[in-house]
C-alpha cells in the first residue's frame, strides 16, 4: 500500500476524545517496548510519525494515526512495565478495556510479540483478553531481524503453538529494521479494510 499523507491525529484517554469519522481502526497491542510505534513508522514508510522511545512505558494514552483518511493505526499503551504506579496501571488498564470492548470501529487487532522470547504470562493474559473481545486478530512476531533468518519460521511456529495451538489465528514475522515482511502484513490488513 502506498501511503501518501499519514498524520498523528490525537492522544486520547476517554471515549469523548476518540476520532468520530467512523473510519476502520487497526489496533496495536503488545508489551512495553515491543515495537508498536516502530511498526507504524515502518508500515507507512516514515521515520518519526509515531514517537519511539528506548524507555519502556512511554505511551500512556491511546494514539490515533490517520492513514490517508482511509483508516487509523491505533497504538495502545504497552503493558508489563512496572515503573508506572499501581494507580496509573489501573487507569491505563481501564481505558484500554473501555476502548477494546466498546469501540465499534475496530477492524483488526495486531498483537505484537518479541520473536526472541517465549510469550510471557502477561502476553498470555493479553491474548486471552483479545480472544474474549471476539475481534479479528493477527499475531506479529516482531524483531525478526534480531535472530538468524534460518530460525525465523521455527520461532514463529513456536509462538503460534504457545499462544494459539488451534492455529486458527495467523502468525507472521515482522522486522522494522529490515523492512521485510511488510507486504504480507499489508495484504492481511487490506482484507480487513475492504
Amino acid at each position: 500500500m502506498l501511503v501518501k499523507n499519514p498524520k498523528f491525529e490525537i492522544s486520547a484517554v476517554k471515549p469523548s476524545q476518540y476520532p468520530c469519522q467512523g473510519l476502520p481502526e487497526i489496533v496495536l497491542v503488545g508489551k512495553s517496548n515491543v515495537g508498536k510505534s516502530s511498526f507504524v513508522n515502518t508500515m507507512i514508510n516514515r521515520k518519526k510519525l509515531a514517537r519511539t522511545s528506548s524507555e519502556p512505558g512511554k505511551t500512556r494514552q491511546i494514539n490515533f494515526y490517520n492513514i490517508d483518511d482511509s483508516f487509523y493505526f491505533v497504538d495502545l499503551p504497552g503493558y508489563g512495565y512496572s515503573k508506572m504506579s499501581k494507580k496509573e496501571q489501573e487507569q491505563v488498564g481501564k481505558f484500554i478495556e473501555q476502548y477494546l470492548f466498546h469501540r465499534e470501529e475496530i477492524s483488526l487487532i495486531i498483537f505484537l510479540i518479541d520473536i526472541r522470547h517465549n510469550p510471557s504470562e502477561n502476553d498470555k493474559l493479553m491474548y486471552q483478553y483479545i480472544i474474549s473481545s471476539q475481534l479479528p486478530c493477527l499475531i506479529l512476531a516482531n524483531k525478526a531481524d534480531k535472530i538468524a533468518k534460518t530460525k525465523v519460521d521455527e520461532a514463529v511456529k513456536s509462538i503460534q503453538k504457545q499462544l494459539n495451538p488451534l492455529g486458527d489465528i495467523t502468525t507472521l514475522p515482522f522486522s522494522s529494521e529490515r523492512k521485510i515482511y511488510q507486504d504480507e502484513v499489508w495484504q492481511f490488513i487490506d482484507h480487513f479494510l475492504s
Side-chain angles (χ1 to χ4, degrees), residues 142-157:
N142 199 23
K143 307 196 178 191
D145 53 284
K146 306 284 190 209
I147 63 173
K149 261 187 187 162
T150 53
K151 299 218 166 121
V152 169
D153 286 349
E154 192 184 312
V156 168
K157 278 186 193 127

Side-chain angles (χ1 to χ4, degrees), residues 12-15 18 27 29 62 76-77 89-104 106 109 126 129-130 132-133 135:
V13 292
K14 55 184 185 221
Y18 300 163
V27 184
V29 176
I62 300 175
L76 294 190
Q89 283 177 26
E90 276 170 29
Q91 283 172 333
V92 167
K94 273 195 187 119
F95 70 72
I96 288 176
E97 189 173 326
Q98 164 85 40
Y99 172 78
L100 280 181
F101 281 86
H102 301 285
R103 184 71 167 158
E104 288 180 5
I106 298 174
I109 294 177
M126 182 48 87
Y129 203 69
I130 293 167
S132 67
S133 75
L135 291 160

Side-chain angles (χ1 to χ4, degrees), residues 57-73:
K58 264 289 193 227
T59 305
R60 307 242 174 136
Q61 300 106 353
I62 300 175
N63 291 322
F64 289 83
Y65 299 94
N66 182 323
I67 311 303
D68 293 350
D69 290 323
S70 59
F71 73 96
Y72 287 98
F73 274 132

Side-chain angles (χ1 to χ4, degrees), residues 23-40:
L23 296 174
E25 293 174 2
I26 307 295
V27 184
L28 309 173
V29 176
K31 69 181 173 198
S32 296
N33 242 18
V34 76
K36 297 185 296 297
S37 302
S38 297
F39 169 83
V40 172

Side-chain angles (χ1 to χ4, degrees), residues 9 20 28 34 41 44 50 105 108 115 119 126 131 140-141 155 160 166 169-170 172 176 185 191:
E9 193 152 306
C20 51
L28 309 173
V34 76
N41 290 332
I44 61 173
E105 285 82 351
L108 173 68
I115 198 166
M126 182 48 87
I131 294 305
L140 214 56
Q160 170 113 39
L166 282 178
I169 290 177
T170 301
L172 294 173
S176 293
V185 178
H191 179 69

